[in-house]
Amino acid sequence: MAADRAPLHQPRPTAVRTITYLITGFVLHFAQFLLIVLGIAIGIGTVVIWVGIPILMLTTSVIRGSANLERRFVARMLATPLPPVERTPVEGGILRRWRYRLVDPTTWRDLGYLALVFPLSIVEAAVGLASIVLLPIAIWVAPWIGWMHGSLAMALLGPNRAKRLEVTAQHLQASRARGVDAAEAERRRIERDLHDGAQQRLVSVAMSLGRAKNKLGRDPDAVRALIDEAHVDAKLAVSELRDLARGIYPAVLGDRGLDAAVSAQAAKSPIHVDVEVDVHPRPPAAVETTAYFIVGETLTNIAKHSGATEASVKASRAEDKVVLEITDNGHGGAHLRPGGGLAGLADRAATIDGVITVVSPTGGPTVIRADLPCQW
């Protein structure tokens, strides 16, 4: 499941579902086209004797119902994210509601799609039937036709431009809020680590030196022991500060890039981890840092909770984003829940408008995917 709702985009559908849609869609689109054309023709022809008005009202309902059915059908078969249309309820009589439907741009976009899709479905059905016989068409041609059909449905049946901008704005607002929360949590972690670690060490150093000062000239052996103790505490404080700084931004990441940094993380993991990183050209520092910490926290969770014996990390560059996939052979069952470790990963990714997706069926394997945009 996705960490949050990202702006709508059109993925490529699978071959089997596309072929099924291309063949069965022809029958559905023919029936819809026939009902709508007959309804409009008969309604307009008989409107002068008032009989045409209820026929046109019924035809309008058929258009809207057919479009809603098509949204569900396309979403299921062609993996197109078509949300249900949010229609504003209108109070009043039947004629008033019908007049509102006639001026509603969504109604005309529905009609435009249904008018275009029938002639297209004739060609698509031919391709679908050919795909049953010819394997190359089924593998390479049919999915791309399904993708183009889904893009057409997205353009005409999907949210209008204002709604798309609203979805994007809501996504950005949620990402910014979660980014602020993640930054605040990171600040508290650094403050806690400083207070419980290096600060306590430095206080101990100061106390040891103060005691040594009081004994100076009276008990050289005690002074020497106190200075040795202060020296040990000072080295521990320096080590803890170095670890803290590495936790904020590791030097190897800045010097040698994501491949070397992730490989160093994998080498420290108690289970075997295969690493494959190809993100050329090098992404921005914020993307590298986010990817680095997602890998580190995920590998830690795998070692502690998954029961896995091996894992793999793959990072690749896909156009304007970095795609990160972490897979393990554990017992599965991982899911995003508020306050959980995976939710923390999603919050970290949200700081740069990234999206975390978790696929973890019971029994495994678990795949955690992060899509991190390089432009935001």
Side-chain angles (χ1 to χ4, degrees), residues 120-203:
L120 288 176
S121 66
I122 298 175
V123 178
E124 292 175 349
V127 174
L129 293 172
S131 300
I132 299 176
V133 180
L134 302 175
L135 185 61
I137 296 180
I139 296 177
W140 290 294
V141 179
W144 282 111
I145 291 180
W147 180 87
M148 289 188 289
H149 190 113
S151 299
L152 175 65
M154 179 79 75
L156 294 178
L157 299 182
N160 56 30
R161 186 172 182 271
K163 187 64 177 178
R164 289 174 183 264
L165 292 176
E166 181 182 349
V167 170
T168 302
Q170 291 174 351
H171 170 71
L172 292 176
Q173 184 179 10
S175 296
R176 294 297 179 265
R178 295 171 65 190
V180 170
D181 291 341
E184 179 63 18
E186 188 71 6
R187 184 195 64 79
R188 290 195 299 267
R189 182 190 68 81
I190 294 172
E191 185 180 53
R192 183 177 61 252
D193 290 346
L194 284 173
H195 181 271
D196 297 339
Q199 180 177 332
Q200 298 296 327
R201 297 291 183 188
L202 293 175
V203 169

Side-chain angles (χ1 to χ4, degrees), residues 303-326:
K304 288 183 177 179
H305 308 296
S306 71
T309 58
E310 60 182 25
S312 65
V313 178
K314 294 182 179 180
S316 59
R317 188 72 178 260
E319 298 179 355
D320 59 347
K321 65 181 178 181
V322 170
V323 179
L324 188 66
E325 288 190 352
I326 306 167

Side-chain angles (χ1 to χ4, degrees), residues 15 18 53 55 58 160 170 194 208 235 240 244 256 344 363:
T18 299
I53 293 179
I55 294 177
L58 179 61
N160 56 30
Q170 291 174 351
L194 284 173
S208 297
K235 290 194 294 184
E240 290 175 355
L244 182 62
R256 300 173 57 191

Side-chain angles (χ1 to χ4, degrees), residues 68-355:
N68 289 336
L69 176 62
E70 186 69 9
R71 287 183 180 92
R72 294 191 295 270
F73 193 30
V74 170
R76 181 174 180 82
M77 303 304 293
L78 301 182
T80 303
L82 283 172
V85 175
E86 298 178 2
R87 304 184 190 272
T88 304
V90 180
E91 298 181 355
I94 297 177
L95 289 177
R96 178 181 174 85
R97 294 197 297 271
W98 180 52
R99 285 198 302 269
Y100 173 79
R101 291 182 178 183
L102 289 181
V103 299
D104 184 3
T106 304
T107 302
W108 294 98
R109 293 170 67 210
D110 293 347
L111 178 60
Y113 173 84
L114 295 172
L116 285 173
V117 76
F118 171 63
L120 288 176
S121 66
I122 298 175
V123 178
E124 292 175 349
V127 174
L129 293 172
S131 300
I132 299 176
V133 180
L134 302 175
L135 185 61
I137 296 180
I139 296 177
W140 290 294
V141 179
W144 282 111
I145 291 180
W147 180 87
M148 289 188 289
H149 190 113
S151 299
L152 175 65
M154 179 79 75
L156 294 178
L157 299 182
N160 56 30
R161 186 172 182 271
K163 187 64 177 178
R164 289 174 183 264
L165 292 176
E166 181 182 349
V167 170
T168 302
Q170 291 174 351
H171 170 71
L172 292 176
Q173 184 179 10
S175 296
R176 294 297 179 265
R178 295 171 65 190
V180 170
D181 291 341
E184 179 63 18
E186 188 71 6
R187 184 195 64 79
R188 290 195 299 267
R189 182 190 68 81
I190 294 172
E191 185 180 53
R192 183 177 61 252
D193 290 346
L194 284 173
H195 181 271
D196 297 339
Q199 180 177 332
Q200 298 296 327
R201 297 291 183 188
L202 293 175
V203 169
S204 179
V205 170
M207 292 178 62
S208 297
L209 292 176
R211 292 164 58 194
K213 181 179 179 181
N214 292 333
K215 295 179 179 295
L216 190 64
R218 293 186 292 109
D219 191 351
D221 292 335
V223 170
R224 186 177 297 106
L226 289 171
I227 292 177
D228 290 340
E229 181 181 341
H231 184 224
V232 171
D233 286 336
K235 290 194 294 184
L236 290 174
V238 170
S239 177
E240 290 175 355
L241 287 173
R242 186 181 296 113
D243 291 340
L244 182 62
R246 188 179 298 113
I248 298 173
Y249 187 79
V252 65
L253 182 62
D255 296 339
R256 300 173 57 191
L258 189 61
D259 190 0
V262 171
S263 298
Q265 287 180 320
K268 296 177 182 178
S269 176
I271 64 174
H272 176 72
V273 180
D274 291 324
V275 176
E276 182 180 339
V277 178
D278 183 10
V279 291
H280 182 77
R282 188 168 179 176
V287 177
E288 285 189 332
T289 304
T290 302
Y292 174 83
F293 284 109
I294 287 176
V295 171
E297 294 173 25
T298 302
L299 291 179
T300 299
N301 291 336
I302 290 173
K304 288 183 177 179
H305 308 296
S306 71
T309 58
E310 60 182 25
S312 65
V313 178
K314 294 182 179 180
S316 59
R317 188 72 178 260
E319 298 179 355
D320 59 347
K321 65 181 178 181
V322 170
V323 179
L324 188 66
E325 288 190 352
I326 306 167
T327 307
D328 69 74
N329 64 346
H331 49 63
H335 61 279
L336 288 166
R337 57 181 177 82
L342 292 178
L345 297 181
D347 291 340
R348 186 180 287 276
T351 59
I352 57 171
D353 296 341
V355 177

